[in-house]
Amino acid sequence: MKAHIQILSTGTVDCPASIAIHFDSQRYLINCGEGTQRLGLQSRFRLIKIKTMLFTRTHWDCMGGAPGLLLTLADGGGNRTMLLGGENLTHALISTRFFVYRPYTNVDTYEFSKDRNTYKDDLVRITAVQAYPENFVRAEPYEWPEESVYHKATPPRRPSTQEASTSPMELENVVSRNDTAASEAATAGSKRNSDELQSAPLVAESDPEDPQEIRKKILRSMFTGSTPNQPLTAKKPKRNPCAETQTSTVENSAETAALTDVDLIAARNVAEANNPTRFSRLPRTSPDPTAISYIFQAPDYAGKFNPQAAMALNVPKGKSFSELVKGNPVLSESGETVYPHQVISGARPGRVVMIIDCPTVDYISSLVNAKEFERYQDLESTSDTAADKLKAEFIVHLGGHAILSHPKYKAWMERFGPETEHVVAHEDYCSQKLIWRSQSRSSYKLSALDPTIFPVPYYNNTPGHDLAKDLSGLPIKANVAESLLSYSLEPTVGWDRSEVVEPLQTLVDPEDFEEESPGEMKQFLKDYYGLAEKAKEDIAKDLALCPEVFPGMDISLTTLGTGSSHPSKYRNVSATLLDMNNDGTFFLDIGEGTYGQMFRQFGGYERSADQKDSVDDRLKRLKGIFISHLHADHHLGTVTIIDRWNKLRKPDSEPLYLIAPFAFDTFLRDLSDVFDFGYKNVQFIHCDDVISRHGNFHSRKQRSQSRLEKLLKSSGLSDLATVEVIHCKWAYGISLTHMDGWKVVYSGDTRPCNNLVDAGQGATVLLHEATFEDDKKHLAVVKKHSTTQEAIMVGEGMEARHTLLTHFSQRYPKIPQIDSENKATVIGVCFDQMTVRLGQIAQLPKFLPALQVLFSDEAEEGDDGEEIEYLQQGME
């Protein structure tokens, strides 16, 4: 058996620390923060082999990447995943029930407690050591004020065609809140596979006296392990073969969209959603601050069987040999008993590794006094328990400078002895190096076009603290973690640096130069840089001859994530930040990893009061968030953004406003029971309360009128309206109109849609999804997305001054093919980490010739096709 422990993430702002333990047949992942899945893809770490995930704390920092990874594991063929952690782990996981659902896999949880602190499977024995902060008193669940749930009013259910004549107020009287949440969520899971929309076998409600059993049944309704391809009860209608060749550029509405498998499954799910198991309200709980450290012990090494010694003792070959290997005595041919130790040498206990999580100094006393560690400390002791002592081979510390420099913690570390290897994985000691190497090098090349639009991402290869200085004088072996650094555990021990990812000292890519002539740049790059210079010269001439002037020229859009479905090396999932200068900032979707993207784009943390650019500045000015729908790739970064905003806000600060489908509010309130990320300081507005249908606001707008008016006033907006779009249930676009006269429209995910065209008339800029290239229109229709040409036609239909294309399929990791000639709207292609003022968008078409060369077939020759092949297995 072979085994080793490996550092996946060292703990950067892009991706919190995570560690993997490898055995021949499976892997264990310890912590899975936002960005873990993307890092696995960037570093070619095969996350698909993970069968067990462990979390040191039930906190989004430790588990924010788990929902997306569970979906990927299920779609990759994984049939069972076990999650281990502290109290509230199950609650945290099922809070995602509205958008995480895979009926063809099993997911189970195991929560450690004071009375249950061990876990064992075929490969490891795990001991969970629980530490608590000093003087902590657990609070009661937060009581949400009445107005936070609209005075217990029920949100409207989207009327069917038959119900069109029924008034919204009449509908409200017959629809329960649980039914509404179920209807919203029935088609709202991650969009990688339409099978995800299939209904799980639903289970009756649990005994209300057993909250944990209720949670477990909800979990089983999310991951049922049923066969993925159950027959549909309804027949799919035949399509008109001419329908896709008609000249109409938009589809009338969500009600008139062509029926697909997705529609039929969704319709069945809505009907079955009356059984409320999956969508039941969760039993209340409150945050548990427990930090868990893990002690892993590999299987005991049975030693090496010596067949010559066995034969010398007249042991017959075959079954007797097998019994000795299993540890059982046997009889020799002469009738004498032969014991395993006579023919097996080198037997020893399995090696021990530890993951130590001490979040703050308040946990140190509880941690260092834990009796579970005593077996592995003071190995030179001559006490009665000395014979039971075991060496800890390898220890990973997740604490920062305040922990590692604390005298009590240092003394505790020393007790493990001089032979134990210690590694520290924390951003205090591990530099803020660039981990998205492919994207960063791409941004560096793009900066040649315009460094204000394509800035070089911020990084710092110098750590904030020196580990050697903090641990000086301790007779221990200690190293700073490095990404993909490994330590072998079986059959021998030792370091393995063969996969270590060194910090980028320069963004210049060595593969950009000819192998035969190391100093000679490849021809396609010479052509690119030449075309980039020509584009800048043409732009300068245009600005000198005919400078544009229109409202909102200095307003900027930063596309932090421009990919669909799941993150890739070149594109993160959906997120765009609208910066209205003195009127604040506004998010249009927040996919997983968005905060890390902001950190790189805006110069890192605020390090001084006079610093002009920082991620903190953008968050302090944050006024609103719009979440277009419940597919996971559009919102899994929201919790981190709210948490960071809340930590920066002052007590008298204005609230943050969240505009989203109703079930998203339920998700965030359920998650707030697990840890406090500041959601009580957020004002929620249901998308249906500010919806515009053909220019007329829905009559239910009054319910959120007060909040909407405050948001408009604080952000300088004169109007804000959502629109129904054609994608899944409860999918919306949004139109934002400012008092200064500019207008920004965002499509979310949709087919071409008249609702959006009507609401967006005269837009200054339309940000529209363009998931597929034009030759994949059949996929766009089935999956309810748009092609690049369809997105452009929507922009022309609403007479938008500019149309920006985003949300590209990961089939096109760099740039899609587009035709921007002779269009009635100026076309721009979005990239991750692109910040463009509205007055600069007209320059983007000038860059297209250079971009086509930069991302040409020649440029792709050196790229590894493994990523594209892997991504094409998914379903947008």
Side-chain angles (χ1 to χ4, degrees):
M1 179 185 71
K2 293 182 179 180
H4 67 277
I5 185 170
Q6 187 171 36
I7 307 296
L8 180 54
S9 173
T10 61
T12 67
V13 72
D14 319 84
C15 183
S18 55
I19 301 97
I21 298 178
H22 303 240
F23 289 90
D24 294 334
S25 58
Q26 72 155 301
R27 295 176 178 178
Y28 300 79
L29 181 66
I30 299 92
N31 287 345
C32 183
E34 289 187 41
T36 302
Q37 184 176 182
R38 189 182 187 194
L39 182 58
L41 181 60
Q42 174 72 75
S43 58
R44 301 182 185 178
F45 182 95
R46 294 185 64 81
L47 292 165
I48 203 70
K49 288 188 175 182
I50 290 169
K51 302 290 180 63
T52 304
M53 284 189 259
L54 302 95
F55 306 101
T56 59
R57 283 172 285 132
T58 310
H59 191 284
W60 199 255
D61 286 349
C62 301
M63 58 184 305
L69 182 56
L70 285 173
L71 295 171
T72 295
L73 294 176
D75 295 344
N79 57 12
R80 183 175 179 81
T81 306
M82 174 63 75
L83 307 185
L84 310 179
E87 185 179 342
N88 288 336
L89 173 60
T90 309
H91 190 104
L93 181 58
I94 64 175
S95 71
T96 68
R97 63 199 181 280
F98 299 106
F99 49 87
V100 174
Y101 171 53
R102 284 294 183 269
Y104 43 89
T105 191
N106 284 292
V107 173
D108 201 2
T109 56
Y110 186 94
E111 296 186 7
F112 295 105
S113 64
K114 290 181 179 179
D115 301 324
R116 188 169 74 158
N117 71 336
T118 59
Y119 177 86
K120 183 179 179 181
D121 61 19
D122 293 338
L123 293 174
V124 293
R125 286 167 282 180
I126 300 171
T127 301
V129 184
Q130 298 158 81
Y132 310 90
E134 294 178 340
N135 303 318
F136 175 77
V137 178
R138 189 163 179 176
E140 292 296 316
Y142 178 72
E143 290 298 327
W144 297 94
E146 291 296 313
E147 59 269 19
S148 70
V149 289
Y150 302 119
H151 305 283
K152 297 187 178 179
T154 303
R157 177 168 57 90
R158 184 73 49 80
S160 66
T161 304
Q162 291 80 7
E163 296 168 334
S165 60
T166 307
S167 74
M169 296 305 292
E170 290 173 322
L171 284 175
E172 180 180 8
N173 293 330
V174 296
V175 181
S176 72
R177 179 176 177 188
N178 281 342
D179 290 339
T180 303
S183 300
E184 288 191 17
T187 62
S190 172
K191 54 187 176 181
R192 283 176 254 188
N193 195 321
S194 61
D195 287 342
E196 188 243 326
L197 301 177
Q198 288 185 273
S199 178
L202 297 169
V203 186
E205 287 274 16
S206 307
D207 181 354
E209 298 302 317
D210 187 357
Q212 190 64 5
E213 183 57 27
I214 294 175
R215 296 184 182 102
K216 283 286 191 176
K217 287 191 175 181
I218 294 173
L219 178 62
R220 289 192 289 272
S221 73
M222 294 166 61
F223 304 97
T224 65
S226 58
T227 304
N229 294 312
Q230 298 173 359
L232 292 171
T233 56
K235 291 185 178 180
K236 182 177 176 181
K238 293 183 179 180
R239 279 203 187 93
N240 180 349
C242 301
E244 293 305 319
T245 61
Q246 293 174 354
T247 58
S248 174
T249 63
V250 296
E251 297 167 19
N252 291 330
S253 69
E255 285 75 24
T256 60
L259 282 175
T260 67
D261 289 338
V262 175
D263 296 290
L264 296 173
I265 296 169
R268 188 182 69 182
N269 273 357
V270 172
E272 293 181 344
N274 289 328
N275 187 324
T277 298
R278 180 177 160 207
F279 305 111
S280 298
R281 292 197 187 192
L282 304 190
R284 297 301 303 275
T285 185
S286 62
D288 174 27
T290 304
I292 299 179
S293 297
Y294 291 105
I295 302 172
F296 294 83
Q297 185 173 1
D300 293 344
Y301 184 67
K304 188 174 182 179
F305 176 67
N306 187 336
Q308 288 78 21
M311 289 187 288
L313 294 170
N314 296 319
V315 176
K317 292 182 180 180
K319 185 177 179 180
S320 294
F321 276 25
S322 298
E323 289 298 314
L324 286 167
V325 170
K326 293 176 182 178
N328 301 321
V330 299
L331 290 177
S332 68
E333 291 178 337
S334 58
E336 297 179 356
T337 301
V338 178
Y339 295 95
H341 72 269
Q342 295 178 270
V343 295
I344 295 177
S345 60
R348 56 171 171 77
R351 293 196 169 99
V352 174
V353 299
M354 300 181 185
I355 312 296
I356 307 297
D357 190 359
C358 185
T360 70
V361 294
D362 291 336
Y363 287 79
I364 291 178
S365 292
S366 176
L367 177 73
V368 302
N369 291 321
K371 295 186 179 300
E372 291 91 340
F373 295 114
E374 292 179 355
R375 186 185 183 194
Y376 312 98
Q377 294 178 315
D378 306 319
L379 301 186
E380 304 301 323
S381 171
T382 58
S383 67
D384 294 340
T385 60
D388 191 44
K389 295 286 187 178
L390 275 180
K391 172 190 171 186
E393 187 68 40
F394 192 89
I395 301 178
V396 181
H397 301 266
L398 303 181
H401 166 70
I403 309 302
L404 272 293
S405 61
H406 196 284
K408 188 180 292 187
Y409 193 87
K410 290 163 66 174
W412 177 77
M413 289 178 67
E414 188 175 0
R415 291 181 60 195
F416 287 100
E419 299 304 316
T420 295
E421 298 283 356
H422 298 264
V423 167
V424 180
H426 191 278
E427 63 178 85
D428 283 353
Y429 299 106
C430 304
S431 63
Q432 292 297 332
K433 64 183 181 181
L434 294 170
I435 62 174
W436 314 133
R437 301 165 78 89
S438 301
Q439 176 193 305
S440 299
R441 281 175 163 155
S442 179
S443 295
Y444 171 75
K445 293 170 187 172
L446 290 171
S447 68
L449 297 168
D450 188 328
T452 67
I453 298 176
F454 304 105
V456 174
Y458 168 81
Y459 67 99
N460 185 351
N461 287 342
T462 304
H465 294 276
D466 185 348
L467 180 64
K469 181 179 179 181
D470 283 352
L471 299 182
S472 62
L474 285 186
I476 63 173
K477 301 175 182 178
N479 293 277
V480 173
E482 298 176 80
S483 185
L484 299 192
L485 176 66
S486 294
Y487 188 85
S488 176
L489 299 172
E490 296 290 354
T492 59
V493 297
W495 294 99
D496 181 357
R497 297 183 54 85
S498 61
E499 297 181 337
V500 167
V501 180
E502 300 289 349
L504 286 174
Q505 301 300 329
T506 173
L507 289 174
V508 176
D509 192 343
E511 294 186 2
D512 290 343
F513 297 87
E514 299 291 352
E515 291 183 12
E516 298 81 7
S517 305
E520 184 73 13
M521 188 180 293
K522 290 183 178 179
Q523 186 59 46
F524 81 90
L525 276 176
K526 293 180 181 178
D527 295 342
Y528 163 70
Y529 286 116
L531 289 170
E533 287 301 316
K534 183 178 185 304
K536 289 190 283 189
E537 292 171 2
D538 292 344
I539 289 169
K541 291 177 183 178
D542 289 348
L543 292 175
L545 291 174
C546 187
E548 273 194 307
V549 178
F550 57 87
M553 288 186 63
D554 291 331
I555 302 306
S556 66
L557 284 166
T558 299
T559 48
L560 297 162
T562 59
S564 69
S565 184
H566 43 249
S568 75
K569 292 195 298 185
Y570 293 98
R571 296 187 185 274
N572 200 40
V573 285
S574 296
T576 301
L577 185 68
L578 172 65
D579 193 332
M580 304 176 289
N581 298 324
N582 293 335
D583 289 322
T585 58
F586 201 105
F587 264 112
L588 305 173
D589 280 335
I590 307 179
E592 178 185 333
T594 294
Y595 180 77
Q597 297 284 85
M598 289 184 71
F599 181 89
R600 301 299 180 184
Q601 185 73 359
F602 300 127
Y605 300 124
E606 186 175 270
R607 297 175 292 280
S608 63
D610 58 350
Q611 184 176 341
K612 293 182 179 180
D613 215 16
S614 73
V615 62
D616 294 350
D617 168 67
R618 299 311 194 284
L619 289 178
K620 288 176 183 177
R621 295 189 290 115
L622 185 61
K623 299 296 179 67
I625 296 170
F626 169 69
I627 301 300
S628 61
H629 61 292
L630 294 182
H631 283 161
D633 59 321
H634 287 257
H635 61 71
L636 280 179
T638 307
V639 174
T640 298
I641 292 296
I642 294 176
D643 187 35
R644 298 283 184 164
W645 165 83
N646 186 61
K647 290 174 180 175
L648 292 169
R649 72 183 293 271
K650 297 178 180 179
D652 59 346
S653 297
E654 294 178 340
L656 175 63
Y657 295 89
L658 171 64
I659 305 159
F662 191 80
F664 197 62
D665 176 52
T666 304
F667 156 59
L668 293 178
R669 284 191 282 112
D670 287 343
L671 192 64
S672 293
D673 277 0
V674 175
F675 75 99
D676 181 9
F677 57 95
Y679 189 55
K680 58 180 176 287
N681 297 315
V682 176
Q683 296 290 305
F684 181 77
I685 299 174
H686 183 14
C687 282
D688 265 9
D689 288 354
V690 290
I691 203 162
S692 172
R693 290 196 177 99
H694 305 292
N696 296 317
F697 282 110
H698 193 281
S699 61
R700 300 188 60 86
K701 179 185 174 185
Q702 185 63 37
R703 189 170 62 185
S704 292
Q705 186 66 37
S706 174
R707 293 178 186 179
L708 178 61
E709 289 176 353
K710 291 176 182 177
L711 170 59
L712 296 178
K713 182 179 179 180
S714 69
S715 58
L717 295 172
S718 59
D719 193 16
L720 179 154
T722 59
V723 295
E724 299 164 306
V725 295
I726 308 166
H727 184 55
C728 61
K729 280 280 187 180
W730 316 102
Y732 305 86
I734 192 170
S735 171
L736 302 167
T737 305
H738 195 270
M739 291 186 295
D740 289 346
W742 54 265
K743 183 176 185 178
V744 171
V745 177
Y746 172 52
S747 69
D749 285 7
T750 184
R751 292 288 296 140
C753 176
N754 270 338
N755 287 345
L756 192 69
V757 172
D758 292 342
Q761 284 298 310
T764 310
V765 58
L766 165 66
L767 183 67
H768 201 288
E769 71 119 294
T771 307
F772 293 100
E773 289 186 341
D774 296 328
D775 63 348
K776 297 290 190 298
K777 185 175 180 179
H778 61 290
L779 288 177
V781 171
V782 170
K783 300 174 187 300
K784 296 188 178 180
H785 284 293
S786 298
T787 66
T788 53
Q789 191 61 31
E790 287 173 332
I792 292 170
M793 287 191 291
V794 170
E796 291 179 314
M798 70 171 60
E799 299 181 353
R801 178 186 285 268
H802 311 104
T803 299
L804 292 177
L805 305 180
T806 187
H807 194 269
F808 301 109
S809 168
Q810 304 294 10
R811 288 176 170 84
Y812 324 118
K814 294 184 178 178
I815 185 173
Q817 296 297 315
I818 66 168
D819 176 15
S820 63
E821 296 294 326
N822 303 315
K823 304 298 182 185
T825 179
V826 176
I827 311 301
V829 177
C830 293
F831 292 85
D832 279 26
Q833 312 295 64
M834 181 180 93
T835 295
V836 59
R837 290 183 288 106
L838 304 195
Q840 292 177 305
I841 296 177
Q843 302 172 17
L844 298 183
K846 300 284 187 182
F847 299 150
L848 195 56
L851 293 172
Q852 289 171 338
V853 170
L854 179 62
F855 301 127
S856 63
D857 291 339
E858 181 184 356
E860 299 289 340
E861 285 179 0
D863 281 4
D864 191 337
E866 181 180 342
E867 175 194 15
I868 297 174
E869 180 181 353
Y870 166 74
L871 292 170
Q872 286 181 340
Q873 294 174 2
M875 304 292 284
E876 285 77 8

